[in-house]
Amino acid sequence: MRMRSVFSHTAQAVAEGALIALLVVGLAAGTTFAGKGGGKPGGGGSTSGSTIAVQMVVDLNVDSAPNWDDQVTFAVSTTATDKPWVKLDCYQAGTWVSTSTAGFFPAYPWAPNFTLASGGWTGGAADCTATLYKVTSNGRSSTLATLSFHVNP
């Protein structure tokens, strides 16, 4: 029984290490994004009691709206999990140009900030979707809320 617990813990540690490695690679590649419907920060999306809203971190042109190369984070609220995650996907003219994921819980080791640019998104406007989700006990994700928004050029 003790041996089983050690193997279970080891498997969890390996899975967490792999997830962190993927996040580091994503961050190093410069992929990120965010925003809000209508082009102004602060709006939010909600489903089943969970909410997500964009917040500006770095506003390069000081217009209070998400623009290419700005940096954003999200205000999240949920009672569905104590370890919520946000995944951002951005598209230009229907072509996927950016993706990134961050944890929104105290043990997450990095600031959950997203730069609205990537190697595949070198300028211009985009339409983005932020998905607030939880990871279930079987390793699958369950969507809690979504937020679609436009990023100005």
Side-chain angles (χ1 to χ4, degrees):
M1 183 150 145
R2 177 83 173 132
M3 194 67 140
R4 182 177 189 178
S5 144
V6 169
F7 284 117
S8 175
H9 179 69
T10 301
Q12 286 178 329
V14 168
E16 287 177 1
L19 179 59
I20 289 170
L22 286 172
L23 292 170
V24 168
V25 169
L27 291 170
T31 58
T32 30
F33 30 28
K36 133 175 172 61
K40 293 285 184 185
S46 175
T47 54
S48 65
S50 298
T51 61
I52 182 171
V54 69
Q55 295 180 328
M56 299 300 296
V57 175
V58 175
D59 188 2
L60 295 173
N61 68 351
V62 196
D63 69 350
S64 299
N67 297 280
W68 178 82
D69 211 25
D70 280 347
Q71 200 174 82
V72 298
T73 190
F74 293 92
V76 301
S77 175
T78 185
T79 57
T81 181
D82 61 346
K83 291 184 179 174
W85 293 86
V86 173
K87 179 182 179 194
L88 283 69
D89 287 298
C90 293
Y91 297 83
Q92 287 184 313
T95 300
W96 181 46
V97 293
S98 187
T99 190
S100 191
T101 302
F104 282 75
F105 48 90
Y108 187 72
W110 300 283
N113 300 333
F114 301 86
T115 301
L116 303 176
S118 73
W121 180 14
T122 58
D127 293 304
C128 301
T129 300
T131 303
L132 174 64
Y133 69 96
K134 68 177 181 176
V135 177
T136 63
S137 60
N138 64 2
R140 296 192 176 158
S141 64
S142 175
T143 298
L144 303 173
T146 60
L147 172 66
S148 294
F149 59 89
H150 182 74
V151 175
N152 300 316

